[in-house]
Amino acid sequence: MSLDSIKNLLNFFSGQDDAKKMNRIAKTFAALKKQNRKALIPFITAGDPNPGITVQLMHRLVQSGADILELGVPFSDPMADGPTIQRSSERALKHHVSLNDVFGMVAEFRKIDTNTPVVLMGYANPVEAMGYAAFAIKAKECGVDGVLIVDYPPEESGEWVQCLDQQEIDAIFLLSPTTPQQRIEQVAKMAKGYIYYVSLKGVTGASHLDLQEVSAMLAQLRNYISLPIGVGFGIRDGATAKAVAGLADAVVVGSRIIEEIEKSSDAELLDNVGNLLNSLRKAIDDNENNTQPTV
Amino acid sequence: MSAYDLPSKDGHFGPYGGIFVAETLISALEDLRKQYEYYSNDPDFQAEFAYELKHYVGRPSPIYHAKRWSEHLGGAQILLKREDLNHTGAHKINNTIGQALLARRMGKKRVIAETGAGQHGVASATVAARYGMECVVYMGSEDVRRQATNVYRMKLLGATVVPVESGSRTLKDALNEAMRDWVTNVENTFYIIGTVAGPHPYPMMVRDFQAIIGNEAKVQMQEDFSRQPDALIACVGGGSNAIGLFYPYIDDVNVRLIGVEAAGKGIDTNQHAATLSTGRPGVLHGNRTYLIQDENGQIIETHSISAGLDYPGVGPEHAWLKDCGRAEYVAITDDEALEAFHTLCRYEGIMPALESSHALAYAAKYAPTLPKDKLLLVNLSGRGDKDMATVAQMSGLTL
């Protein structure tokens, strides 16, 4: 762990806003903590339903209450995703959206928005094809703040994390209900930015979220993890978003947003997704008026 | 040279292999690794595996000297390792029995499998029936359409066949879907992977179960020919029949190891499945290996006349054996494989699977360049009954 990220952590917990030293992700969580609010992190796939709309959609998500954006890099074989996100990947790939195209979208987003953290999410092979070092340099140049590669578990991530560290990009890792305790400690050592807790067994888009299990597991995670914890998988509506916000530092919503994109015409897409996000934002903030902070 | 001892403890063959999966599967794979490590050294497990292979599969499979065909070719002698004579008609059952016995000891009552042509699906459905387990087989909807007989066969054996509609609707998508099922039902489900691919420990475990092929061959060659062959030839899709034959011979450096990939309509076209001949290293389905991919790292659809070779990846151990030069990999086109299919039917009265026909076709090219006292051992990995409709169609006939 680099000195900078330790400082970031200290800042996060002391609530100090040493803005110069913090990256965008740490700054965002620090600011939210001050306001006693939880982060809302929407996921969209870059280039879905077409490459032209992605940057507008990113801005609209921010206007509608997003604190951090997760941008999916489309892949031909998204093994850990359910049918909804698979379809979003297929739509983007019909337009041949490549990793370089995704970097281009982030660069364009950064022309207007220099504050909102952007986290890329995807699968290993497009990164393998580009090479770790080239990926990290390009990602830094266009303004990416964190990267989560689903099929790079800590065991296979030594060199990968080094390359991201060199460019001061956060390597974000998953934890799941099946992660045993000693692995939690191992992941805690490598992870930066925030931890993405996958709140159920299965693929993205499934619907059987067990809040009691999430609550118990998060309590356990906090014994080892000082980073903010985001919870994703299975968050379908205001009620689940609100419930999860009561337990975690961040609420990640993916498949539900993709469903909204799917059923919207191009003309109504931005408004529909914006309205959905607004309603989730409201539900989450409402929650925070009634509960104690969890950290 | 020290004895070959790969994979490493963490599942790597040089830079290949490994555990490239989402966090949700990590603990299941760790559990599988531990259980396999225990049972692979357990005499009771090994005894039961050997008993099943002998009495249920019908092993050992013989080595047959294809004299008339060898004479016709006018060079080296071609010997066939008759995996086509196994119960269910291919080498696949060696592995499914091993994994089903392991599943049973791990208390898993439900098994899942992916299948392309249907051979591994049939072998999985067969052992599930044999041991009284629930069986779900994922199969690309394109393959379901092309392999209707095998789909029915699996259903007769009591399996549920789930057509997969995502991606290219073929083997790779079936594998994705099986992984998704496993992630969701990991507590009661055992995933029987059909080839030497996937995350560690699968490439090692499947190899070990298939190594019976090479281990038998070593004994049989000594008994019948008083020496070992000059070269081993086997087809490579994922590569399980090839590694099963090659593995016991890796330290016998005088024996050439030749893997034969599917060149489809030609490796200079974009319709082939010759991963090692044309691909680049990458990560797919839980391991690092050679892949057929575009410049952006997207996986490209492959083509082969034989569904069993129609896969854009290859087992990581083959990737390593290629890079370190221990094995050679060549490619055979659809047309060449089809010609070998017909030739073996006519000259030996043996109908080979189209997959195995690729290995035969290379033997037919290679044998005439060698003197008559050389011995080529070809893995006849499966029988061709399942391919009759395809072959008839290629000849302009409908059955």
Side-chain angles (χ1 to χ4, degrees):
Chain A
M1 184 177 282
S2 72
L3 204 60
D4 270 0
S5 61
I6 291 172
K7 277 187 194 153
N8 288 347
L9 285 182
L10 290 176
N11 288 332
F12 176 69
F13 285 100
S14 62
Q16 277 170 20
D17 196 355
D18 189 0
K20 285 254 158 60
K21 289 268 160 39
M22 280 197 262
N23 68 18
R24 276 185 284 254
I25 294 175
K27 256 191 231 173
T28 300
F29 277 107
L32 285 164
K33 190 177 178 337
K34 262 190 180 169
Q35 301 161 20
N36 195 21
R37 296 171 76 224
K38 301 302 173 70
L40 173 58
I41 309 182
F43 169 94
I44 56 169
T45 298
D48 172 34
N50 62 71
I53 207 162
T54 299
V55 175
Q56 295 173 60
L57 190 53
M58 291 167 77
H59 288 306
R60 179 59 74 95
L61 290 168
V62 174
Q63 287 157 20
S64 310
D67 299 296
I68 295 173
L69 300 178
E70 284 186 356
L71 194 57
V73 179
F75 182 51
S76 52
D77 293 80
M79 254 169 34
D81 284 300
T84 306
I85 293 180
Q86 286 174 47
R87 285 194 301 271
S88 77
S89 219
E90 283 177 21
R91 283 192 295 272
L93 287 178
K94 274 198 185 131
H95 298 280
H96 306 285
V97 173
S98 68
L99 199 43
N100 278 319
D101 295 332
V102 178
F103 289 146
M105 292 172 193
V106 178
E108 188 163 341
F109 174 76
R110 281 276 172 259
K111 284 182 187 166
I112 293 173
D113 188 327
T114 54
N115 293 323
T116 309
V118 174
V119 172
L120 296 190
M121 244 182 119
Y123 290 84
N125 205 49
V127 177
E128 298 269 315
M130 181 171 280
Y132 294 168
F135 174 95
I137 290 167
K138 287 184 187 187
K140 184 67 184 179
E141 271 172 15
C142 71
V144 167
D145 302 285
V147 184
L148 195 172
I149 298 298
V150 177
D151 46 355
Y152 279 157
E155 286 82 352
E156 304 285 356
S157 293
E159 203 188 323
W160 164 240
V161 169
Q162 272 180 16
C163 287
L164 292 182
D165 275 354
Q166 275 170 17
Q167 299 299 325
E168 297 174 318
I169 294 173
D170 288 341
I172 293 168
F173 285 97
L174 296 166
L175 287 177
S176 87
T178 57
T179 307
Q181 190 169 313
Q182 64 272 37
R183 263 186 74 76
I184 296 173
E185 295 174 55
Q186 189 192 352
V187 173
K189 276 183 206 151
M190 277 187 133
K192 301 265 173 64
Y194 57 95
I195 288 285
Y196 189 149
Y197 178 68
V198 175
S199 54
L200 45 84
K201 298 177 195 92
V203 294
T204 53
S207 58
H208 41 280
L209 180 64
D210 181 341
L211 282 168
Q212 269 190 334
E213 190 183 285
V214 173
S215 173
M217 189 68 181
L218 286 188
Q220 204 203 331
L221 294 188
R222 289 199 203 278
N223 291 328
Y224 307 96
I225 287 169
S226 42
L227 289 174
I229 301 174
V231 171
F233 281 33
I235 294 159
R236 314 265 332 142
D237 50 29
T240 41
K242 175 177 166 158
V244 166
L247 305 168
D249 303 302
V251 180
V252 187
V253 188
S255 297
R256 178 64 190 91
I257 292 173
I258 307 285
E259 279 169 19
E260 201 65 29
I261 291 174
E262 251 175 0
K263 65 188 183 197
S264 303
S265 69
D266 280 4
E268 59 187 19
L269 192 152
L270 292 173
D271 286 339
N272 287 356
V273 174
N275 291 338
L276 169 66
L277 214 71
N278 261 321
S279 71
L280 295 172
R281 176 83 261 171
K282 257 197 193 140
I284 291 172
D285 289 349
D286 177 39
N287 188 71
E288 284 153 12
N289 295 332
N290 306 322
T291 51
Q292 292 300 308
T294 48
V295 182
Chain B
M1 194 175 140
S2 60
Y4 182 83
D5 62 352
L6 296 180
S8 62
K9 216 165 166 47
D10 51 3
H12 291 93
F13 302 88
Y16 303 110
I19 315 178
F20 292 89
V21 296
E23 181 62 29
T24 331
L25 282 178
I26 292 279
S27 71
L29 287 165
E30 178 60 12
D31 187 35
L32 178 61
R33 191 191 61 72
K34 282 186 187 148
Q35 299 275 351
Y36 176 65
E37 190 177 8
Y38 176 81
Y39 286 113
S40 59
N41 294 305
D42 173 29
D44 286 348
F45 180 88
Q46 291 302 333
E48 190 179 2
F49 183 47
Y51 181 91
E52 295 290 299
L53 290 179
K54 182 177 177 190
H55 296 275
Y56 189 64
V57 178
R59 303 200 72 92
S61 68
I63 287 180
Y64 168 74
H65 183 181
K67 281 187 190 156
R68 208 165 91 81
W69 190 38
S70 303
E71 210 162 288
H72 167 69
L73 292 167
Q77 302 306 303
I78 298 181
L79 315 175
L80 305 176
K81 178 64 173 159
R82 297 292 306 275
E83 292 298 300
D84 61 316
L85 296 177
N86 292 341
H87 178 43
T88 72
H91 72 290
K92 292 289 186 191
I93 189 112
N94 304 328
N95 167 50
T96 57
I97 285 187
Q99 291 197 45
L101 292 178
L102 190 57
R104 217 162 49 143
R105 279 168 172 72
M106 290 171 70
K108 312 276 183 181
K109 299 209 157 34
R110 178 175 181 267
V111 296
I112 57 171
E114 83 295 338
T115 198
Q119 291 309 101
H120 174 59
V122 167
S124 299
T126 300
V127 297
R130 163 77 183 81
Y131 302 116
M133 296 189 271
E134 184 194 346
C135 179
V136 176
V137 179
Y138 290 94
M139 190 170 184
S141 60
E142 185 58 26
D143 290 332
V144 169
R145 192 184 56 75
R146 290 192 287 198
Q147 306 285 340
T149 317
N150 266 346
V151 173
Y152 187 53
R153 232 173 132 192
M154 287 183 264
K155 285 180 181 166
L156 287 175
L157 292 161
T160 306
V161 180
V162 180
V164 176
E165 302 287 352
S166 58
S168 56
R169 299 174 173 83
T170 57
L171 176 58
K172 76 174 178 71
D173 310 287
L175 219 150
N176 292 336
E177 206 56 36
M179 282 279 185
R180 290 177 190 123
D181 179 314
W182 199 34
V183 170
T184 310
N185 302 295
V186 69
E187 262 146 30
N188 72 344
T189 297
F190 190 103
Y191 180 15
I192 303 183
I193 293 187
T195 191
V196 284
H200 182 63
Y202 280 101
M204 172 181 79
M205 180 172 70
V206 177
R207 173 197 74 190
D208 294 351
F209 289 141
Q210 292 293 1
I212 184 75
I213 304 172
N215 284 328
E216 279 178 7
K218 271 193 153 173
V219 175
Q220 291 166 323
M221 287 300 302
Q222 210 55 49
E223 279 174 6
D224 298 350
F225 300 90
S226 304
R227 70 178 187 93
Q228 296 301 325
D230 298 288
L232 308 176
I233 304 177
C235 65
V236 176
S240 69
N241 89 81
I243 217 78
L245 179 61
F246 292 178
Y247 177 59
Y249 282 96
I250 289 179
D251 285 331
D252 301 356
V253 291
N254 295 324
V255 181
R256 286 178 70 178
L257 311 178
I258 304 171
V260 186
E261 298 191 300
K265 296 183 176 166
I267 54 171
D268 44 1
T269 70
N270 57 7
Q271 292 188 35
H272 62 76
T275 309
L276 288 165
S277 309
T278 69
R280 284 179 293 122
V283 168
L284 180 71
H285 294 151
N287 65 104
R288 181 175 282 129
T289 187
Y290 280 75
L291 299 171
I292 297 182
Q293 54 180 316
D294 70 13
E295 69 278 11
N296 297 317
Q298 305 295 346
I299 307 306
I300 296 176
E301 272 182 52
T302 51
H303 163 83
S304 169
I305 189 175
S306 82
L309 303 183
D310 202 351
Y311 179 63
V314 64
E317 193 161 17
H318 285 293
W320 170 244
L321 291 175
K322 173 192 159 81
D323 279 14
C324 72
R326 178 62 189 95
E328 308 148 59
Y329 295 87
V330 297
I332 283 291
T333 65
D334 287 352
D335 289 345
E336 291 170 324
L338 204 56
E339 190 188 330
F341 175 95
H342 287 297
T343 309
L344 202 72
C345 285
R346 297 294 178 89
Y347 277 85
E348 299 290 349
I350 296 172
M351 187 179 295
L354 282 173
E355 289 78 10
S356 325
S357 298
H358 287 71
L360 296 165
Y362 185 73
K365 273 188 178 174
Y366 185 39
T369 69
L370 299 171
K372 290 189 175 175
D373 62 346
K374 294 284 181 186
L375 301 178
L376 304 181
L377 179 59
V378 180
N379 200 4
L380 187 54
S381 55
R383 64 179 178 232
D385 310 44
K386 69 180 177 62
D387 295 314
M388 279 193 287
T390 309
V391 173
Q393 195 188 1
M394 295 293 287
S395 318
L397 303 169
T398 341
L399 296 181

